[in-house]
Amino acid sequence: MTGNLQSPISNLNVVALAGGVGGAKLAWGLAQLLPPDRLTIIVNTADDFEHLGLHISPDLDTVMYTLAGLANPETGWGIRDESWNMMEMMARYDGPTWFRLGDRDLATHLLRSQWLRAHRAPPGQGFPLTWVTRELSKLLGVRQAILPMTDDPVRTIVHTDEGPLPFQEYFVLWRWQPVVRSIQFKGIESAHPTQDVVSSLREGDLIVFCPSNPFVSLDPILALPAVRRIIAASRAPKVAVTPIVGGRALKGPAAKMMRELGMEVSPVSVARHYQDLLTGFVLDRQDENLKTEIAFDLGIRTLVTDTVMTADADRVRLAREVLEFAARL
Ligand code: FO1
């Protein structure tokens, strides 16, 4: 159902770059307005990790569960109405329970891991992450294309005052409290965007940078060889929605990372971070005073609106405003 958008917009091929919870919310809003075959979500996989013998892809699962209407509304990750029997038994064995795996969520990790292992069979038995993600999301009734940014292993290592931490240990085990010195995407040099990612970026009529963490959710996608060049070469409008509102991140470590990386905690820093790629930037009303700086110093057209997505209606409204803003660029 394409809602009551003017027809030119609902015929746009929209490509959204997303990471965790914030990105998934806007992707869901866009999915309410566009025909399913007009929305592609390219998702960060640098948060992936091996845990208890399972390949876990948190951002892919957050986007998939959100589009399937299954996501836990409180956390944004994992599945709603979840049970935790496996975790309780794990605790009896004094096994690792720092990364909480729900009983329903576990089915996703078990199947993904088994299908990927089959991929390690002789070449041509390919079950790469792109195939696995398409199968799982189709089986959950998701009709939009959810694309891992790459099928190659890329892992975010956060270099902190506690030493180098794999992303999930930094984010969950250490609750993102260690001070960040630098961020590394291990394996990025020899990784490639998938063919699906390359063609969706080339064919997209609009590229949306969702309000995800710029440094650990969108940067891994942009750091893949050729991706920045393909986005820069595209004549489609590129619109970013700010993940920073009133000097703070709505969720997670983005603001704290900015401070620790020596940047001013402001939407202007985010706009500058993507500057060479952006046509438009969506700023929250609380930061309206920064509009001229972004518009004139950075030369990026700016839309000021309410960017905080609390209820589902906010997600759809923001998605509609992004599409209508893009149509004017
Ligand atoms: N985040 C947490 O803060 N605590 C957890 O125990 C946790 C478990 C978890 C399990 C599956 C999954 O897909 C995501 C999970 N997350 C958890 C969120 C995850 O760490 C983040 O969503 C991303 O990696 C960053 O966006």
Side-chain angles (χ1 to χ4, degrees):
M1 192 270 276
T2 57
N4 54 359
L5 279 174
Q6 298 82 6
S7 59
I9 296 179
S10 65
N11 284 341
L12 285 179
N13 264 313
V14 177
V15 181
L17 308 183
V21 176
K25 287 181 178 177
L26 184 61
W28 185 88
L30 290 165
Q32 309 316 304
L33 298 171
L34 297 162
D37 62 348
R38 289 283 185 274
L39 174 60
T40 300
I41 304 97
I42 297 173
V43 182
N44 168 42
T45 57
D47 290 4
D48 290 14
F49 74 134
E50 299 290 318
H51 183 58
L52 291 166
L54 299 171
H55 179 113
I56 312 246
S57 299
D59 284 353
L60 284 172
D61 291 346
T62 296
V63 172
M64 181 172 74
Y65 293 154
T66 301
L67 290 184
L70 287 174
N72 176 324
E74 276 74 48
T75 55
W77 55 265
I79 294 176
R80 65 172 64 239
D81 314 324
E82 184 59 280
S83 58
W84 303 92
N85 299 307
M86 186 280 280
M87 280 278 105
E88 280 162 28
M89 194 64 187
M90 184 63 74
R92 281 187 63 180
Y93 286 123
D94 205 15
T97 55
W98 61 273
F99 192 80
R100 301 190 53 65
L101 294 172
D103 299 328
R104 292 182 176 81
D105 189 29
L106 192 53
T108 308
H109 310 309
L110 288 167
L111 261 186
R112 171 182 284 120
S113 304
Q114 186 196 1
W115 288 348
L116 286 175
R117 256 194 299 277
H119 174 46
R120 293 210 184 94
Q125 318 291 320
F127 280 175
L129 194 54
T130 297
W131 181 92
V132 170
T133 306
R134 184 166 49 244
E135 282 307 293
L136 291 173
S137 45
K138 199 163 49 178
L139 290 163
L140 288 185
V142 176
R143 294 162 58 205
Q144 290 77 14
I146 300 176
L147 302 180
M149 66 185 199
T150 178
D151 283 332
D152 302 317
V154 175
R155 298 291 176 266
T156 296
I157 306 291
V158 185
H159 292 270
T160 76
D161 57 348
E162 299 287 344
L165 297 174
F167 181 77
Q168 294 302 338
E169 289 183 32
Y170 161 77
F171 187 79
V172 180
L173 191 56
W174 290 83
R175 301 192 189 292
W176 45 273
Q177 292 314 298
V179 176
V180 175
R181 303 276 187 242
S182 67
I183 296 165
Q184 172 198 7
F185 306 135
K186 196 153 150 269
I188 196 83
E189 304 75 24
S190 47
H192 298 89
T194 65
Q195 198 40 53
D196 289 6
V197 164
V198 170
S199 38
S200 68
L201 286 174
R202 285 210 172 113
E203 287 148 26
D205 305 310
L206 164 58
I207 300 174
V208 178
F209 290 44
C210 289
S212 298
N213 184 312
F215 313 106
V216 289
S217 294
L218 296 194
D219 273 358
I221 303 173
L222 299 173
L224 282 168
V227 167
R228 266 187 177 273
R229 186 160 30 81
I230 294 167
I231 294 177
S234 161
R235 285 199 309 282
K238 279 81 81 170
V239 176
V241 176
T242 183
I244 297 287
V245 172
R248 61 183 181 78
L250 298 178
K251 204 177 170 67
K256 180 173 177 286
M257 281 180 165
M258 257 180 181
R259 226 182 336 274
E260 292 163 359
L261 292 171
M263 300 164 87
E264 189 196 350
V265 182
S266 151
V268 178
S269 307
V270 179
R272 187 172 292 115
H273 189 67
Y274 301 132
Q275 178 175 12
D276 54 322
L277 298 175
L278 288 188
T279 324
F281 191 80
V282 181
L283 196 58
D284 191 83
R285 282 197 202 297
Q286 293 180 44
D287 301 308
E288 181 145 23
N289 58 311
L290 301 171
K291 179 182 168 86
T292 41
E293 188 175 348
I294 293 173
F296 296 106
D297 295 5
L298 301 181
I300 300 172
R301 299 273 300 280
T302 312
L303 168 74
V304 177
T305 185
D306 180 358
T307 63
V308 180
M309 296 177 278
T310 320
D312 285 355
D314 300 322
R315 302 175 183 189
V316 179
R317 175 191 47 73
L318 181 58
R320 178 176 290 111
E321 288 174 350
V322 167
L323 293 175
E324 288 167 351
F325 173 53
R328 299 194 297 270
L329 291 175

